Amino acid sequence: MAAPLLPLLLGALLAAPSSTARPLSAKASAAPSGVVEVRVGVLLPGRNLRYPWAWPRVAPALRLALEALEPQLRHAGLALRTAFASTEDDDGTCDYEVARFQATDLKCSLDPDVLLGLGCDNSRHAVAPFAQYWQLPLLSAGAYWWREDGTAVYAGPVGPDFSAFQAQLLRHFNWTSRAAFVLSYKTAYRENFLLTFMDQLSSNLNFTFSVYRYYEDEEPGDEAVRYIQANGRVVYICEPLEKLQEIMHLAQAQNMTNGDYVFFYLDISGESLKAEGHREAAKPWQSKESRDTGGLREAFQTVLVVTAHEPQTPEYQRFQNEVILRAQRDFGVALNDSMEAGTLVAGCFHDVLLLYLRALNETLREGGHKRNTSRILEKMRGLKIQGVTGMVSINRDNMREMDFDLWAMKDVETGEYQVVAHYVGSERRIKWLGPIHWKKGGPPLDNPPCVFDMDDPSCGQARHSGGEGEPLWRLWSSCG
């Protein structure tokens, strides 16, 4: 009988990093004879809670996963040894060079059997080639997904499923020509979804799109509204909610909320739909400071909100509450229940660890070895488990199939939003749950005549605004 796992594990798992430059190896004794020791190297931002995958957010979820599995792991003769290293630089930002150094140091000090973490795009870029060279599974629930990451498994909300959802919406509403994007550098995590979508759009040479980007200390305001007017009627916005409300105020003043435009607000976490301060639940047009937002309720009839699908099960609610409790107890961190604040991403890390251990156990039962990465990944792609975030399955690209929701204003009198479409990632299809109340009775045209394309002789001699020679992807920035 194997020794109990928790004494071997939990002290190392929940230890906070003493610095951003050195990993913490687990100070555990060797596993008892006959027990297979599985070494897990965790690479995440150590303290910066701006990241949904920061260590204080994810550590409680990993602990919950291992506590749940303790009897099965002991019965299977498995013991886990864990070490954590922070990928932050001295300024608290994910850093490419720090991630490379920490991964190499972990390799030398722990010789891990699996790597977990690397939510940041640059950190993943730094370490994924090492993981592939070392032939180690790399389990992540964040970052910009890339097909050529070899041994990486993506278990969180990532771009391809979002892109497939948006592509189906474009086809459904017969939007085939152009779109405009407004992005804030402050929403880098959400921006990754749009970058993947843009990559997909760029493969369609008939689709023109342009991007307006600004830094968090800038006020996009009038310039963003003028940009939208000049470049699209189907608009994707990725920025803090207060900036969206500001833009919608200005758009309303320009008569842009009469039904000629549609604004998709990307809010993976669903934070804009949660009650906070004076804002009521499912009313993103209200501000935290006041429910009276100067007529924004009417303007938001043209705003559709896209979120990751939040599990509604009692199991997820219990998990969410426990993560919040333990983050406060073990790290002194006060989380709320929003997904982007970490509980959904933490849940995805929880579930991918469960899936990996299940695949590892099956591999060992069949006579394989813990370093048989190709076999373990093959097993992970063939398994389905019920996790705290829902059904977990990995496709042939080592990516979890995720669900998304589309929200629209269901009651123009109260301004309350509801889910009108649910995208099922495993089925690659949209389930329509309710109507969208378009202001003009139907969706706007994405390329109305004589607005952007002036080549038609019927448009007269008006000023040409976007024809032959216009680049497919123009990256505009308010700072040049």
Side-chain angles (χ1 to χ4, degrees), residues 462-475:
R463 180 179 177 270
H464 184 80
S465 61
E468 186 176 355
E470 184 178 29
L472 179 65
W473 186 338
R474 294 179 299 162
L475 186 61

PDB file of all heavy atoms in Angstrom, residues 462-475:
ATOM      1  N   ALA A 462     -18.682  60.155 -55.693  1.00  0.00           N
ATOM      2  CA  ALA A 462     -18.328  60.392 -54.291  1.00  0.00           C
ATOM      3  C   ALA A 462     -16.922  59.914 -54.009  1.00  0.00           C
ATOM      4  O   ALA A 462     -16.356  59.105 -54.739  1.00  0.00           O
ATOM      5  CB  ALA A 462     -19.314  59.665 -53.374  1.00  0.00           C
ATOM      6  N   ARG A 463     -16.369  60.393 -52.918  1.00  0.00           N
ATOM      7  CA  ARG A 463     -14.991  60.088 -52.557  1.00  0.00           C
ATOM      8  C   ARG A 463     -14.819  58.589 -52.369  1.00  0.00           C
ATOM      9  O   ARG A 463     -15.583  57.927 -51.686  1.00  0.00           O
ATOM     10  CB  ARG A 463     -14.632  60.802 -51.239  1.00  0.00           C
ATOM     11  CG  ARG A 463     -13.209  60.555 -50.777  1.00  0.00           C
ATOM     12  CD  ARG A 463     -12.959  61.317 -49.473  1.00  0.00           C
ATOM     13  NE  ARG A 463     -11.629  61.066 -48.956  1.00  0.00           N
ATOM     14  CZ  ARG A 463     -11.346  60.084 -48.115  1.00  0.00           C
ATOM     15  NH1 ARG A 463     -12.301  59.256 -47.743  1.00  0.00           N
ATOM     16  NH2 ARG A 463     -10.111  59.928 -47.659  1.00  0.00           N
ATOM     17  N   HIS A 464     -13.757  58.042 -52.974  1.00  0.00           N
ATOM     18  CA  HIS A 464     -13.477  56.623 -52.855  1.00  0.00           C
ATOM     19  C   HIS A 464     -13.029  56.318 -51.431  1.00  0.00           C
ATOM     20  O   HIS A 464     -12.191  57.019 -50.880  1.00  0.00           O
ATOM     21  CB  HIS A 464     -12.356  56.260 -53.833  1.00  0.00           C
ATOM     22  CG  HIS A 464     -12.050  54.776 -53.865  1.00  0.00           C
ATOM     23  ND1 HIS A 464     -12.807  53.892 -54.572  1.00  0.00           N
ATOM     24  CD2 HIS A 464     -11.062  54.072 -53.269  1.00  0.00           C
ATOM     25  CE1 HIS A 464     -12.299  52.679 -54.433  1.00  0.00           C
ATOM     26  NE2 HIS A 464     -11.231  52.760 -53.641  1.00  0.00           N
ATOM     27  N   SER A 465     -13.628  55.290 -50.816  1.00  0.00           N
ATOM     28  CA  SER A 465     -13.251  54.970 -49.433  1.00  0.00           C
ATOM     29  C   SER A 465     -13.052  53.478 -49.253  1.00  0.00           C
ATOM     30  O   SER A 465     -13.787  52.809 -48.580  1.00  0.00           O
ATOM     31  CB  SER A 465     -14.351  55.442 -48.470  1.00  0.00           C
ATOM     32  OG  SER A 465     -15.565  54.776 -48.748  1.00  0.00           O
ATOM     33  N   GLY A 466     -12.040  52.950 -49.897  1.00  0.00           N
ATOM     34  CA  GLY A 466     -11.715  51.548 -49.664  1.00  0.00           C
ATOM     35  C   GLY A 466     -12.035  50.699 -50.852  1.00  0.00           C
ATOM     36  O   GLY A 466     -13.101  50.132 -50.961  1.00  0.00           O
ATOM     37  N   GLY A 467     -11.126  50.584 -51.781  1.00  0.00           N
ATOM     38  CA  GLY A 467     -11.348  49.729 -52.925  1.00  0.00           C
ATOM     39  C   GLY A 467     -10.122  48.926 -53.227  1.00  0.00           C
ATOM     40  O   GLY A 467      -9.426  48.463 -52.341  1.00  0.00           O
ATOM     41  N   GLU A 468      -9.807  48.793 -54.513  1.00  0.00           N
ATOM     42  CA  GLU A 468      -8.686  47.963 -54.917  1.00  0.00           C
ATOM     43  C   GLU A 468      -7.392  48.506 -54.322  1.00  0.00           C
ATOM     44  O   GLU A 468      -7.145  49.707 -54.305  1.00  0.00           O
ATOM     45  CB  GLU A 468      -8.593  47.940 -56.442  1.00  0.00           C
ATOM     46  CG  GLU A 468      -7.539  46.980 -56.952  1.00  0.00           C
ATOM     47  CD  GLU A 468      -7.535  46.920 -58.457  1.00  0.00           C
ATOM     48  OE1 GLU A 468      -8.416  47.547 -59.060  1.00  0.00           O
ATOM     49  OE2 GLU A 468      -6.653  46.266 -59.003  1.00  0.00           O
ATOM     50  N   GLY A 469      -6.590  47.620 -53.809  1.00  0.00           N
ATOM     51  CA  GLY A 469      -5.328  48.027 -53.208  1.00  0.00           C
ATOM     52  C   GLY A 469      -5.403  48.230 -51.717  1.00  0.00           C
ATOM     53  O   GLY A 469      -4.379  48.364 -51.067  1.00  0.00           O
ATOM     54  N   GLU A 470      -6.623  48.215 -51.133  1.00  0.00           N
ATOM     55  CA  GLU A 470      -6.730  48.351 -49.695  1.00  0.00           C
ATOM     56  C   GLU A 470      -6.235  47.078 -49.036  1.00  0.00           C
ATOM     57  O   GLU A 470      -6.641  45.984 -49.413  1.00  0.00           O
ATOM     58  CB  GLU A 470      -8.188  48.586 -49.304  1.00  0.00           C
ATOM     59  CG  GLU A 470      -8.368  48.825 -47.809  1.00  0.00           C
ATOM     60  CD  GLU A 470      -9.809  49.091 -47.459  1.00  0.00           C
ATOM     61  OE1 GLU A 470     -10.691  48.585 -48.170  1.00  0.00           O
ATOM     62  OE2 GLU A 470     -10.055  49.808 -46.479  1.00  0.00           O
ATOM     63  N   PRO A 471      -5.330  47.162 -48.069  1.00  0.00           N
ATOM     64  CA  PRO A 471      -4.779  45.953 -47.464  1.00  0.00           C
ATOM     65  C   PRO A 471      -5.838  45.194 -46.685  1.00  0.00           C
ATOM     66  O   PRO A 471      -6.774  45.775 -46.142  1.00  0.00           O
ATOM     67  CB  PRO A 471      -3.688  46.483 -46.525  1.00  0.00           C
ATOM     68  CG  PRO A 471      -4.099  47.887 -46.226  1.00  0.00           C
ATOM     69  CD  PRO A 471      -4.768  48.383 -47.469  1.00  0.00           C
ATOM     70  N   LEU A 472      -5.649  43.880 -46.629  1.00  0.00           N
ATOM     71  CA  LEU A 472      -6.610  43.039 -45.928  1.00  0.00           C
ATOM     72  C   LEU A 472      -6.617  43.315 -44.447  1.00  0.00           C
ATOM     73  O   LEU A 472      -7.652  43.398 -43.800  1.00  0.00           O
ATOM     74  CB  LEU A 472      -6.246  41.556 -46.190  1.00  0.00           C
ATOM     75  CG  LEU A 472      -7.143  40.520 -45.518  1.00  0.00           C
ATOM     76  CD1 LEU A 472      -8.535  40.614 -46.103  1.00  0.00           C
ATOM     77  CD2 LEU A 472      -6.558  39.141 -45.715  1.00  0.00           C
ATOM     78  N   TRP A 473      -5.437  43.470 -43.846  1.00  0.00           N
ATOM     79  CA  TRP A 473      -5.345  43.684 -42.414  1.00  0.00           C
ATOM     80  C   TRP A 473      -4.586  44.970 -42.168  1.00  0.00           C
ATOM     81  O   TRP A 473      -3.418  45.058 -42.421  1.00  0.00           O
ATOM     82  CB  TRP A 473      -4.616  42.495 -41.788  1.00  0.00           C
ATOM     83  CG  TRP A 473      -4.585  42.534 -40.282  1.00  0.00           C
ATOM     84  CD1 TRP A 473      -4.737  43.606 -39.462  1.00  0.00           C
ATOM     85  CD2 TRP A 473      -4.372  41.422 -39.423  1.00  0.00           C
ATOM     86  NE1 TRP A 473      -4.641  43.240 -38.166  1.00  0.00           N
ATOM     87  CE2 TRP A 473      -4.413  41.912 -38.099  1.00  0.00           C
ATOM     88  CE3 TRP A 473      -4.139  40.062 -39.635  1.00  0.00           C
ATOM     89  CZ2 TRP A 473      -4.235  41.072 -37.012  1.00  0.00           C
ATOM     90  CZ3 TRP A 473      -3.968  39.252 -38.538  1.00  0.00           C
ATOM     91  CH2 TRP A 473      -4.016  39.751 -37.250  1.00  0.00           C
ATOM     92  N   ARG A 474      -5.278  45.978 -41.687  1.00  0.00           N
ATOM     93  CA  ARG A 474      -4.629  47.252 -41.367  1.00  0.00           C
ATOM     94  C   ARG A 474      -4.653  47.396 -39.846  1.00  0.00           C
ATOM     95  O   ARG A 474      -5.721  47.393 -39.237  1.00  0.00           O
ATOM     96  CB  ARG A 474      -5.357  48.411 -42.021  1.00  0.00           C
ATOM     97  CG  ARG A 474      -5.278  48.385 -43.547  1.00  0.00           C
ATOM     98  CD  ARG A 474      -6.053  49.543 -44.125  1.00  0.00           C
ATOM     99  NE  ARG A 474      -7.452  49.438 -43.745  1.00  0.00           N
ATOM    100  CZ  ARG A 474      -8.284  50.469 -43.800  1.00  0.00           C
ATOM    101  NH1 ARG A 474      -7.874  51.659 -44.143  1.00  0.00           N
ATOM    102  NH2 ARG A 474      -9.564  50.316 -43.476  1.00  0.00           N
ATOM    103  N   LEU A 475      -3.511  47.524 -39.262  1.00  0.00           N
ATOM    104  CA  LEU A 475      -3.429  47.658 -37.806  1.00  0.00           C
ATOM    105  C   LEU A 475      -3.257  49.127 -37.479  1.00  0.00           C
ATOM    106  O   LEU A 475      -2.198  49.699 -37.665  1.00  0.00           O
ATOM    107  CB  LEU A 475      -2.265  46.837 -37.277  1.00  0.00           C
ATOM    108  CG  LEU A 475      -2.140  46.756 -35.764  1.00  0.00           C
ATOM    109  CD1 LEU A 475      -3.386  46.105 -35.167  1.00  0.00           C
ATOM    110  CD2 LEU A 475      -0.898  45.991 -35.361  1.00  0.00           C
TER     111      LEU A 475
END
